[in-house]
Each structure stands twice: as structure tokens, then as C-alpha cells.
Amino acid sequence: NAGVTQTPKFQVLKTGQSMTLQCAQDMNHEYMSWYRQDPGMGLRLIHYSVGAGITDQGEVPNGYNVSRSTTEDFPLRLLSAAPSQTSVYFCASSYSAGRSYEQYFGPGTRLTVT
Amino acid sequence: DAKTTQPNSMESNEEEPVHLPCNHSTISGTDYIHWYRQLPSQGPEYVIHGLTSNVNNRMASLAIAEDRKSSTLILHRATLRDAAVYYCILRDVNSGGSNYKLTFGKGTLLTVNP
């Protein structure tokens, strides 16, 4: 299994540009989520999904959109990039419901908005 | 979410045991205690979790106080590769949706000296 994969690894955007961060998992996990990590901080939840077709907002959803058309993929869209969105973005997945399953994280996408 | 308190940093010598403490005085009966770690420039990695009893796996041991208000992650023989930020996280798994999220604090930065 490849686990959780994220592309790209690095990205530089200009203010106002849009882009999509890709996330895929091959473990048939129902639950997927996106976090951002700012320097010296813990991770904060942006959006999450408990299954295909179901998404919901996390702690810091403004400026981001998500969709979940398949179990495997959970892309994160930046609609109009702002310098405040400079961060490292992590995607995670896990089984869900009824047990305390561990989450698997991708390697991250480092985004700089100038 | 019930909160956790961890020391900002700890230091250890290679091949010695490390005891990483976590206080969670407001823990509820359905909160699992999870530990994750984040190596430099990587995504978080699951370490171990437990509910009431002490737990062991190939990476570490988790010792949970009888009243569950504190826990200790034990690395039996620290290696240089164990240098990371360690996060202690509570998760209530009796609720769905947003309760799959992991609420990260700042964690404990573990330095391992050769």
C-alpha cells in the first residue's frame, strides 16, 4: 500500500491565484481530513469527510473548499490564495465508527503565498 | 474537547528510557488517550493509544493512571530517530462526525543526545 499520498510537495502561489491540493489513500478508509500547520503550532482541522459525498467544516474552513466524490480522493481547493494561507498542509485518513482507529497522515504540502 | 497538558520540551540520552508525561484532568469516561509524534519535516505518525489499561506495542508503552487523569508515554530505549514532537490527544469515540478529528496542542519536543 502507498498509504496517504499528497501532491504537490511544494507550491508557490501569488495572492489571488487558485489551486487544488491533491490527497489520495489506498486503504479503503472512510474518514479523511485536511489539517494545516503553521510554524511552531500544532495542526488545525480545515475540513473532513466521513465518506464519499459527505463533507463538513473543521476549525478553520474559510478560504477552502473540499469535495469527496470517491472513497480514495479528497482534494482541497484554495479559492483565492492569501498570504495567511502560507502553511504546511497535511491530509489524513482512518477507518471510522465505533472504535478508536489511528489516523494515517500524508507527507504534507508546503504552500507559500506571496 | 477535554484538554491535555504536556511539557514544552524534554531531553534524553541515546539508549536510555524516556518518560513523556501528559495531564488530562478533565478526561471523560469515553475519551481514549492517543499519542502521535511528528518527526522533522514529516506528517504526524500514530504511536499508541489506550482507554484504561496500560498498553504496549513495538514502538512504545502507555501507562495510564488509575484515575485516568494522567498518562505517560514510555520509550524504552531512545534512539536519535525518536527525536520528534510528541502529542498527547484525547478522542471521544462515541460520537461521530467531528469527533474523528484530532485536536493537536503544541506537544513535547523531545531531543535525544548521542
Side-chain angles (χ1 to χ4, degrees):
Chain A
N1 287 349
V4 179
T5 58
Q6 292 184 238
T7 55
K9 285 188 167 53
F10 301 93
Q11 183 71 49
V12 178
L13 290 179
K14 293 188 187 318
T15 298
Q17 288 184 316
S18 62
M19 79 159 294
T20 299
L21 279 62
Q22 301 292 344
C23 174
Q25 52 89 12
D26 61 357
M27 297 172 281
N28 203 30
H29 286 166
E30 299 95 339
Y31 178 75
M32 296 185 74
S33 58
W34 278 100
Y35 292 84
R36 61 176 286 174
Q37 185 173 34
D38 300 322
M41 305 286 289
L43 282 72
R44 291 183 293 169
L45 182 66
I46 304 171
H47 285 286
Y48 65 94
S49 168
V50 298
I54 306 169
T55 64
D56 206 345
Q57 296 181 350
E59 187 183 354
V60 288
N62 292 342
Y64 307 95
N65 272 357
V66 291
S67 60
R68 183 98 178 267
S69 56
T70 67
T71 299
E72 294 79 18
D73 300 298
F74 191 44
L76 178 73
R77 296 183 190 84
L78 277 70
L79 308 172
S80 176
S84 61
Q85 293 179 304
T86 294
S87 189
V88 182
Y89 292 83
F90 293 102
C91 179
S93 74
S94 74
Y95 293 111
S96 62
R99 274 193 56 184
S100 185
Y101 288 106
E102 62 261 37
Q103 292 196 19
Y104 295 81
F105 285 81
T109 294
R110 188 174 297 273
L111 175 69
T112 302
V113 182
T114 61
Chain B
D1 291 333
K3 291 189 175 179
T4 63
T5 304
Q6 300 177 253
N8 290 335
S9 62
M10 290 185 66
E11 221 171 300
S12 172
N13 295 322
E14 204 174 5
E15 298 191 5
E16 290 184 355
V18 181
H19 290 231
L20 296 162
C22 181
N23 287 324
H24 27 78
S25 58
T26 60
I27 191 169
S28 73
T30 52
D31 281 329
Y32 277 79
I33 303 160
H34 283 243
W35 284 82
Y36 282 75
R37 71 180 185 180
Q38 188 173 20
L39 302 172
S41 301
Q42 294 190 27
E45 173 187 35
Y46 167 81
V47 178
I48 200 167
H49 75 274
L51 184 61
T52 55
S53 304
N54 294 345
V55 184
N56 299 301
N57 66 20
R58 63 175 179 82
M59 288 180 70
S61 296
L62 176 60
I64 301 173
E66 197 168 332
D67 63 5
R68 301 210 324 127
K69 293 186 176 181
S70 65
S71 61
T72 303
L73 179 70
I74 303 165
L75 307 179
H76 295 286
R77 289 184 68 197
T79 69
L80 296 178
R81 196 196 172 276
D82 291 321
V85 177
Y86 287 78
Y87 298 98
C88 171
I89 299 167
L90 302 183
R91 289 186 63 211
D92 183 347
V93 296
N94 278 352
S95 299
S98 66
N99 283 300
Y100 294 116
K101 72 179 181 182
L102 296 171
T103 301
F104 288 83
K106 293 191 177 181
T108 297
L109 174 63
L110 175 65
T111 301
V112 180
N113 300 315

